[in-house]
Amino acid sequence: MRKIGLIGGMSWVSTRTYYEDINQLVQARTSKIASAPMLIESLDFTNLIRLSTPEQWAHAAGVLTDSARRLEQAGATALLIGANSMHKVYDQVAGAVSIPVIHIADAVGVRMKADGVTNATILGTQNVVMESFYRKRLVSHGINLLPPVLGEVDEMDRIIYEELMQGRATRSAERTFKTMLTNMGQRGAQAAVLGCTELDMVIDVDANVLPIYDGTRIHAEAAVDWILGG
């Protein structure tokens, strides 16, 4: 198996999910006593959260590129950025190393295209839902995306940062997202993309009002394809 590196800590909750998903998938595809060869650097999220200014994003790019270089030097043969929002600096990170950096939105886009999905909606933090760095990757795979509704985006952002990233999952958040998904379906979405690594805490990925494409799970599956040489 090939060793993979994970830039984590953004948040620690999502890093835990990546570790669990990747190891469960490796066991399912190899043996029940196997575990994935992984290198994880858990960054301090304190100064990487809710970034807005060019200076803040430049700092984040530096932190992540330094992490990527350390993981490559430690023996990682490919990398994951364990946060949707931090894919805004994907190009800088990928350009700083000589090993592949698996893009979460590309993994999702490939899966959706294979399933014949052409119209979808994104759930996530404000920068993922509103900015182009994530959306354009999905569009490049032939996915048309519903325009964001500002009130929904604000509420998603609040729940993610004030609850999920602190490890809290509430019934209220579950109801809020189910209502949003119902409304998105009525607006024409065939499926929904979870563009935040913590959303599976309050959204039933396997049984919901719309088909759910869990970016974290799909990213983990792409990682295991790499680990196993697929």
Side-chain angles (χ1 to χ4, degrees):
M1 292 192 285
R2 294 188 287 194
K3 187 176 293 184
I4 200 160
L6 173 65
I7 303 173
M10 306 170 293
S11 66
W12 69 264
V13 178
S14 69
T15 304
R16 176 184 62 187
T17 302
Y18 270 100
Y19 185 75
E20 184 174 32
D21 284 357
I22 289 171
N23 277 289
Q24 287 178 346
L25 288 163
V26 164
Q27 284 188 340
R29 291 172 57 177
T30 57
S31 76
K32 291 182 179 179
I33 59 170
S35 54
M38 292 179 68
L39 294 167
I40 301 173
E41 179 161 29
S42 185
L43 302 175
D44 180 6
F45 204 21
T46 305
N47 296 315
L48 297 171
I49 194 168
R50 281 185 164 167
L51 308 181
S52 58
T53 68
E55 293 77 17
Q56 288 172 333
W57 279 108
H59 170 72
V63 171
L64 267 69
T65 54
D66 286 347
S67 178
R69 291 190 185 104
R70 286 191 291 270
L71 289 167
E72 181 181 27
Q73 291 167 1
T77 63
L79 296 176
L80 306 172
I81 300 172
N84 288 271
S85 60
M86 287 299 154
H87 279 73
K88 181 167 180 170
V89 298
Y90 171 89
D91 289 342
Q92 295 97 308
V93 175
V97 293
S98 60
I99 57 177
V101 182
I102 302 169
H103 197 294
I104 191 169
D106 282 340
V108 173
V110 167
R111 178 71 56 82
M112 297 180 83
K113 184 176 182 179
D115 290 348
V117 175
T118 56
N119 292 292
T121 187
I122 304 176
L123 282 66
T125 59
Q126 188 175 58
N127 76 317
V128 171
V129 175
M130 300 288 287
E131 297 181 34
S132 64
F133 69 91
Y134 191 101
R135 298 178 72 89
K136 68 182 180 183
R137 288 275 182 164
L138 288 182
V139 170
S140 73
H141 293 280
I143 313 299
N144 298 311
L145 296 171
L146 265 62
V149 174
L150 190 58
E152 291 177 346
V153 175
D154 288 343
E155 183 61 6
M156 286 190 286
D157 199 76
R158 184 196 66 77
I159 291 170
I160 290 165
Y161 282 114
E162 296 180 12
E163 298 179 19
L164 304 185
M165 287 188 179
Q166 298 174 34
R168 292 193 298 120
T170 66
R171 294 286 296 174
S172 174
E174 290 178 14
R175 289 191 294 268
T176 295
F177 279 109
K178 183 154 283 192
T179 298
M180 285 185 192
L181 287 165
T182 300
N183 293 337
M184 290 166 174
Q186 292 171 351
R187 296 200 298 269
Q190 294 173 291
V193 176
L194 301 192
C196 168
T197 49
E198 293 88 1
L199 280 174
D200 66 345
M201 294 168 62
V202 289
I203 294 177
D204 189 337
V205 174
D206 300 312
N208 217 297
V209 294
L210 285 177
I212 303 295
Y213 286 79
D214 181 357
T216 309
R217 184 180 294 183
I218 294 169
H219 206 198
E221 289 170 356
V224 173
D225 287 343
W226 176 267
I227 289 168
L228 299 179

